[in-house]
Amino acid sequence: MKFCSLALLSLTLLFATGLDQRAGAEDFTESWYLSRGRSNMEIDNYKAAIEAFEKVVERNPDHREALRSLGLAYERQGLKDKSIETFDRYLAKYDDDPEIAFKQAQALEWSRYSYREKDLLKYYRMGLKRKDDPAMRLKYASHLAGRKETAQEAIAQYDKILASQPRNAQAHQGLAKAYAWLGQNDLALYHANLGRQAVKREPGDMTALRHDMLKGREPAVEGVFSVLAQPTTPFELYGVRIGSRGKMDFSPFTTTTLEAGAEHFWDSSENRTGGYLSFGNQLRINPANRFDLLLEYHDAPRGDGLAYKFEYVYEGPSVLIRPGVKREFRYDSFAALIGSRSSGQLVGLARSTQFYTDVGFDLGSTRIEVTPFVGWVTAESLSTNNQVGLTVKTTTPLWETDNWNVSGEYLFYLTHYEENQSGFTPSPVEPRAGGYFSPQVFLNQIPRLAATYTFDEKQDITFAAGPALQYIDEATQASVFRVGGDAHVAYTTHLSKPWLLKVMGDYTQIASVYSRIQGNALLVYTFY
């Protein structure tokens, strides 16, 4: 029994010794090939290095150094496909090597590997996760910026670069392209301009992008001419205005307009002449949000000559919301606009202040715009006249061809004044004229047809017209329904590339109360 045990122990010792000797031999062989591979890499004998590293990988497919070195040897020998294949295997197991990850990403930038764009992006992300390399981040971001679906991710990468390198021209240029993909033209133009400032010569594609972003926003100068005729007494008013308007973007986020000129107004007994100045500015926060401001001063009136408008605008894909406040002149009569002294005492000078919210949305193919408002009207020698109202406009497409675009429109206006201050009805307390049309209830409904005809790319004509069914409650006489009308026409022609002419005409009939005819002409020169 002892003999058997001793024999078994001896056999076990002999087997274990054999295994150790075999493992030691394999370790020696692997080390020898690794050493040979390293030596050949140092003397640029890449063919011999490849043979050595291949031997190691045959014996141990997961050997980190051998896989890495084999990929480098293939690359330096010019065996691109084998190098990429080897690095794919290496990075699948060892994703903590930013140097090889970046190298693999750049190798996949070759046009012959364009089908592997997702892998390219994956390797850039892998490298950046371990090492913040601005040059590699810039390359990664440039690939992301090339497509709309990855533009937002590109913006995040460019922002990281600019946090440490605020004057990096390539980052600004890349941001311009990414924002252009997303339709954020203001930010695209802003970064295109910063990129232009940081280089001596702007790349051609960036020049083209800036021109695209400026379309419709080019600086322009306009000649303005307007006429007004309202012959019906006692709402009689005639006027003519001539001026000049300039428009310019002083930054990618603002558009500023400035208009100045002279105007003359009269009726059968009085007239006034004066100058006017108008300043407008639009501040765009982003494509969906902006602020609009308009300030005007006119010195033809015998007193208060200030008007303004301030709006916040949200314009989403399917809804528009525009709350605001405005102060306007009332053009209902000479007295309302200018102020009259025909009776010795100054009367009129009616000024309307309104708080409102425009809401626009689509209901199927119909566009609906609803505007509730509340405010007041002030006039000389009269108490403040409160008002509240609602306007609604619906537009439904009816017919469209290459030249014609026809739609049906319905306009609804409802206004309630606290009291009638027209002042043209005989009264024991005359004069009390505000001179503006202010029945306690005024309802105006206008169904009309609107059409645009395009002659060619250079000229078109637009017109809209329809009857008006009006309800007027003047408190001093029976409430009745009356018939009026509304018409609008506009003609636009491009005389040449920088020159544009636009002529517009409007006609409004308020029952038998008054009719108004307005004409406007704009001659525009655009600086391309």
Side-chain angles (χ1 to χ4, degrees):
M1 191 70 176
K2 282 185 178 181
F3 177 78
C4 289
S5 298
L6 289 172
L8 182 60
L9 178 62
S10 298
L11 288 172
T12 302
L13 290 173
L14 286 172
F15 181 72
T17 302
L19 287 177
D20 287 343
Q21 290 176 345
R22 182 178 178 184
E26 288 186 358
D27 288 343
F28 173 78
T29 302
E30 187 175 284
S31 298
W32 185 83
Y33 279 121
L34 275 176
S35 177
R36 182 183 176 191
R38 293 186 194 118
S39 300
N40 282 294
M41 289 289 285
E42 289 178 3
I43 62 173
D44 299 337
N45 187 357
Y46 303 122
K47 184 177 181 180
I50 289 170
E51 293 175 355
F53 291 131
E54 283 178 339
K55 293 290 186 182
V56 178
V57 172
E58 284 175 7
R59 288 166 171 76
N60 184 359
D62 295 338
H63 195 288
R64 179 166 185 158
E65 182 186 351
L67 266 178
R68 188 181 195 276
S69 299
L70 180 59
L72 291 172
Y74 280 142
E75 179 191 39
R76 294 173 188 177
Q77 185 67 12
L79 302 173
K80 199 72 175 180
D81 289 340
K82 285 192 173 184
S83 171
I84 289 174
E85 181 185 350
T86 302
F87 284 142
D88 279 338
R89 290 168 54 196
Y90 172 76
L91 292 170
K93 295 182 177 295
Y94 309 106
D95 62 357
D96 59 347
D97 189 336
E99 180 184 346
I100 298 302
F102 291 144
K103 184 183 289 292
Q104 183 76 332
Q106 292 176 88
L108 293 176
E109 288 178 340
W110 281 26
S111 58
R112 63 186 291 188
Y113 304 114
S114 58
Y115 65 95
R116 293 194 60 185
E117 184 177 7
K118 289 184 178 180
D119 291 329
L120 178 152
L121 298 175
K122 177 185 74 175
Y123 289 131
Y124 271 123
R125 283 193 294 269
M126 185 184 293
L128 290 169
K129 184 178 179 180
R130 299 289 179 174
K131 181 180 180 182
D132 184 10
D133 186 321
M136 293 298 106
R137 191 177 297 279
L138 192 62
K139 286 179 176 289
Y140 173 51
S142 67
H143 287 284
L144 294 172
R147 291 191 175 187
K148 184 176 182 178
E149 55 268 26
T150 54
Q152 195 63 56
E153 188 180 352
I155 291 170
Q157 298 301 318
Y158 284 125
D159 284 342
K160 289 181 180 179
I161 296 167
L162 291 174
S164 59
Q165 301 177 11
R167 291 182 56 82
N168 189 305
Q170 289 178 284
H172 284 299
Q173 291 165 0
L175 274 172
K177 294 177 181 178
Y179 280 123
W181 270 121
L182 298 176
Q184 299 188 38
N185 294 358
D186 292 338
L187 284 168
L189 186 59
Y190 171 72
H191 285 285
N193 289 341
L194 289 178
R196 186 186 187 189
Q197 294 170 12
V199 294
K200 293 182 178 179
R201 187 173 182 178
E202 183 181 53
D205 61 337
M206 292 307 301
T207 302
L209 185 144
R210 283 194 310 104
H211 288 169
D212 286 342
M213 297 301 99
L214 282 170
K215 282 182 179 177
R217 294 169 46 184
E218 299 90 349
V221 175
E222 303 175 6
V224 182
F225 179 74
S226 303
V227 294
L228 168 66
Q230 197 165 283
T232 309
T233 57
F235 292 96
E236 186 181 12
L237 173 63
Y238 299 91
V240 62
R241 175 183 297 167
I242 186 168
S244 180
R245 181 190 305 150
K247 181 189 77 170
M248 174 176 276
D249 286 8
F250 286 99
S251 84
F253 307 101
T254 61
T255 298
T256 301
T257 60
L258 185 65
E259 181 179 345
E263 52 194 1
H264 178 66
F265 297 98
W266 71 95
D267 64 6
S268 57
S269 60
E270 299 178 87
N271 69 87
R272 292 280 290 185
T273 300
Y276 72 93
L277 182 66
S278 173
F279 170 80
N281 194 68
Q282 183 180 91
L283 173 62
R284 295 175 291 276
I285 308 302
N286 53 47
N289 297 273
R290 72 174 189 265
F291 292 96
D292 292 333
L293 170 69
L294 179 65
L295 296 173
E296 291 186 13
Y297 180 77
H298 299 248
D299 65 6
R302 288 189 165 98
D304 189 342
L306 180 65
Y308 60 79
K309 186 176 185 179
F310 180 72
E311 293 180 333
Y312 160 73
V313 182
Y314 169 77
E315 191 167 2
S318 59
V319 65
L320 179 143
I321 302 174
R322 181 167 49 203
V325 58
K326 61 183 177 181
R327 188 173 194 266
E328 298 179 314
F329 302 129
R330 294 296 297 255
Y331 284 81
D332 299 68
S333 69
F334 183 87
L337 177 63
I338 303 299
S340 174
R341 290 191 180 277
S342 59
S343 62
Q345 179 183 349
L346 180 63
V347 295
L349 282 177
R351 304 294 182 255
S352 172
T353 302
Q354 290 182 5
F355 293 87
Y356 61 91
T357 299
D358 293 342
V359 179
F361 56 93
D362 295 320
L363 190 62
S365 61
T366 299
R367 181 68 178 177
I368 301 175
E369 299 172 30
V370 181
T371 308
F373 63 88
V374 62
W376 60 88
V377 182
T378 60
E380 284 294 311
S381 305
L382 293 172
S383 60
T384 298
N385 194 6
N386 295 321
Q387 66 172 150
V388 62
L390 175 72
T391 68
V392 179
K393 180 181 179 181
T394 67
T395 305
T396 304
L398 299 178
W399 183 50
E400 185 174 355
T401 67
D402 291 340
N403 299 102
W404 283 99
N405 191 322
V406 181
S407 59
E409 297 181 345
Y410 172 73
L411 286 71
F412 174 93
Y413 303 90
L414 175 63
T415 305
H416 166 67
Y417 291 92
E418 188 174 4
E419 60 179 310
N420 189 341
Q421 293 186 350
S422 298
F424 298 118
T425 301
S427 167
V429 293
E430 288 284 14
R432 64 176 186 84
Y436 62 97
F437 181 59
S438 53
Q440 287 189 299
V441 177
F442 176 58
L443 172 64
N444 193 9
Q445 300 180 80
I446 308 171
R448 68 183 189 180
L449 194 67
T452 298
Y453 180 76
T454 303
F455 297 92
D456 49 41
E457 293 183 356
K458 294 185 177 181
Q459 56 183 337
D460 61 69
I461 185 169
T462 298
F463 57 88
L469 180 63
Q470 299 161 347
Y471 173 83
I472 303 174
D473 181 355
E474 296 181 295
T476 58
Q477 55 182 299
S479 303
V480 293
F481 281 97
R482 306 181 184 183
V483 176
D486 175 271
H488 167 79
V489 63
Y491 172 72
T492 303
T493 179
H494 293 265
L495 304 174
S496 64
K497 184 177 181 180
W499 288 101
L500 177 144
L501 174 65
K502 186 168 186 177
V503 181
M504 295 162 286
D506 291 276
Y507 171 79
T508 302
Q509 178 70 49
I510 304 297
S512 59
V513 179
Y514 69 80
S515 59
R516 176 184 297 166
I517 300 172
Q518 290 177 273
N520 297 280
L522 298 175
L523 181 62
V524 183
Y525 181 86
T526 301
F527 298 89
Y528 289 96

